[in-house]
Amino acid sequence: MGICDCLRRLFGGGAGAAAPAAPEFPAVSELGAEINDLLSRSLGERTVYGEITSIKKKPGIWYLTLSDDSGMISCVVPRRVFAALEPPKSRFPDAGFPGNSRAHPEPVPEADAGAEDDGATSPESSPETDSGAITSGIMVRATGRASFYTPAGSLQLEITDLKPEGPGERHLRFQALREKLREKGYFDPASKRPLPEQLKTIGVATARDGAVIHDIEVTVRNSGIPFALRLYPTRVQGRGAAASIARSLEYISREGVCDAVILARGGGSSESLAVFSSEEVTEAVFSSGIPVIAAIGHEINRSLADEAADFSVATPTAAAELLIRTVRERRLRAEARARRMLVFRILLVIAGVLAMAALFWFLRSR
């Protein structure tokens, strides 16, 4: 190698400089394809037994989560599989005969950390009475192939066969807990408390770094209602969340500063929202010394905390809007009452003047 070549290699540049070598490492998508290939070759087709704890049905495909007490796996069910499972739709309307009614969904389960994610159907939906119905809350035997879905970076089971096996254990535990708390009166409408007349300070029990508190603050600020918001940082998902929520609600109640409290969490999967159907959290909501607004970001089904709360709304923003609407309605009622009192006083004065005039005319005419 000549000295010129050495200099060029050392300092770069020059007309004869070689093009940079291609990177030796695979792109993310290439690595994902390798993982998918490895899974397909090493695992093959497997059959698993688990409970459906969330399900989202879309045209042409179902997405569901299979769980047991220690883990979960996401699954996709193509049309060719679920088309054979769905009972045929009758051409005749339901006449309402006994046994034709279907149970309506409810919730439960758990995950980890304080992050907030998007979810599907709540876990503890009551299994429908049709023996072949696939819904949240039932046990199934699922056969399929494990694959790695590169666009989302997630592991999933591509289902080739699905067989219902009866009610799920989590669902049965949930129903037993719900009945136990119902007997204690936790869901009794007569126990619900109205919001106090004075709404000045509102507590918010939620994660410190989530979007929830920001959404509530923006909604309140834009309304012009001078609420004082107090954040009580709380774990709202995963291990230790139930105890954290219970401590926060107890502390807010004992502190005596807030007029009401919003128990809030952003959207989440049914597993991550499980803590709000725990006995500890439900008892804490029911036992709170001030009204509780449950704003747990899920709209499909209600958790036990929703049922025990004094008010339940779909999102944290809706909780703020409820408080704003309450204050505005009370102001309008107060203004209307003040106007009525003013009119009444004016009429009273006019009546007094007319009475005095009549008396004066009567005395002069004698």
Side-chain angles (χ1 to χ4, degrees):
M1 180 185 295
I3 190 168
C4 292
D5 291 331
C6 290
L7 290 173
R8 271 198 297 268
R9 174 165 289 203
L10 182 61
F11 297 104
E24 298 178 13
F25 306 104
V28 170
S29 57
E30 292 173 341
L31 180 60
E34 288 182 27
I35 294 173
N36 185 49
D37 183 59
L38 181 63
L39 286 171
S40 299
R41 285 188 288 105
S42 61
L43 292 181
E45 195 168 68
R46 295 294 183 92
T47 297
V48 295
Y49 184 68
E51 181 174 351
I52 298 178
T53 51
S54 71
I55 183 168
K56 184 179 291 184
K57 297 181 179 181
K58 292 189 174 183
I61 194 165
W62 289 356
Y63 300 97
L64 53 89
T65 301
L66 291 183
S67 305
D68 59 20
D69 288 336
S70 303
M72 67 182 73
I73 187 168
S74 299
C75 305
V76 292
V77 187
R79 182 190 295 275
R80 66 179 182 277
V81 176
F82 69 72
L85 295 170
E86 289 192 309
K89 291 183 172 61
S90 172
R91 295 184 293 111
F92 304 101
D94 187 341
F97 293 110
N100 282 358
S101 61
R102 296 190 172 189
H104 290 286
E106 316 243 323
V108 85
E110 162 150 0
D112 198 49
E116 298 165 5
D117 40 34
D118 294 326
T121 307
S122 287
E124 293 299 330
S125 301
S126 298
E128 297 183 354
T129 53
D130 291 311
S131 59
I134 301 297
T135 186
S136 194
I138 66 168
M139 298 296 292
V140 293
R141 195 174 299 276
T143 301
R145 292 181 175 275
S147 66
F148 185 77
Y149 184 57
T150 304
S154 60
L155 179 70
Q156 62 186 21
L157 190 66
E158 297 178 357
I159 302 296
T160 56
D161 187 55
L162 194 64
K163 290 184 172 62
E165 299 281 340
E169 295 177 5
R170 291 187 179 192
H171 171 76
L172 295 176
R173 289 199 300 265
F174 172 84
Q175 293 293 2
L177 175 60
R178 189 169 188 264
E179 188 58 33
K180 171 186 173 182
L181 299 182
R182 183 190 297 283
E183 290 177 357
K184 286 185 174 183
Y186 282 18
F187 312 135
D188 188 352
S191 68
K192 308 300 182 188
R193 294 161 295 189
L195 292 170
E197 281 301 315
Q198 294 297 321
L199 281 171
K200 296 181 178 178
T201 303
I202 308 300
V204 182
T206 191
R208 182 193 298 275
D209 54 356
V212 167
I213 188 63
H214 174 264
D215 292 344
I216 293 174
E217 286 175 340
V218 169
T219 304
V220 168
R221 186 165 60 245
N222 292 341
S223 73
I225 306 293
F227 288 130
L229 295 176
R230 292 173 65 91
L231 172 64
Y232 296 84
T234 307
R235 286 183 63 84
V236 291
Q237 177 181 333
R239 189 163 301 166
S244 178
I245 293 169
R247 281 196 305 269
S248 289
L249 292 178
E250 181 185 0
Y251 179 79
I252 295 168
S253 176
R254 191 174 64 246
E255 187 185 33
V257 173
C258 299
D259 303 306
V261 57
I262 299 173
L263 174 59
R265 187 196 191 285
S269 66
S270 54
E271 290 79 16
S272 66
L273 295 168
V275 66
F276 294 97
S277 285
S278 67
E279 183 171 5
E280 187 174 4
V281 169
T282 308
E283 287 182 345
V285 169
F286 177 77
S287 303
S288 170
I290 59 176
V292 176
I293 303 171
I296 303 158
H298 59 115
E299 301 186 38
I300 305 222
N301 292 307
R302 286 158 59 84
S303 67
L304 296 184
D306 282 301
E307 295 196 46
D310 301 288
F311 300 87
S312 174
V313 293
T315 64
T317 298
E321 290 170 345
L322 169 66
L323 293 167
I324 292 164
R325 185 168 61 251
T326 299
V327 169
R328 284 177 174 163
E329 289 173 354
R330 287 175 177 176
R331 284 182 178 178
L332 289 173
R333 286 198 297 269
E335 290 169 0
R337 195 161 48 242
R339 284 194 297 270
R340 288 196 299 271
M341 287 299 296
L342 179 60
V343 170
F344 177 74
R345 286 170 181 161
I346 291 173
L347 292 175
L348 203 60
V349 170
I350 292 173
V353 170
L354 292 175
M356 291 293 293
L359 180 60
F360 179 73
W361 179 82
F362 174 75
L363 292 175
R364 280 196 61 184
S365 62
R366 293 187 64 180

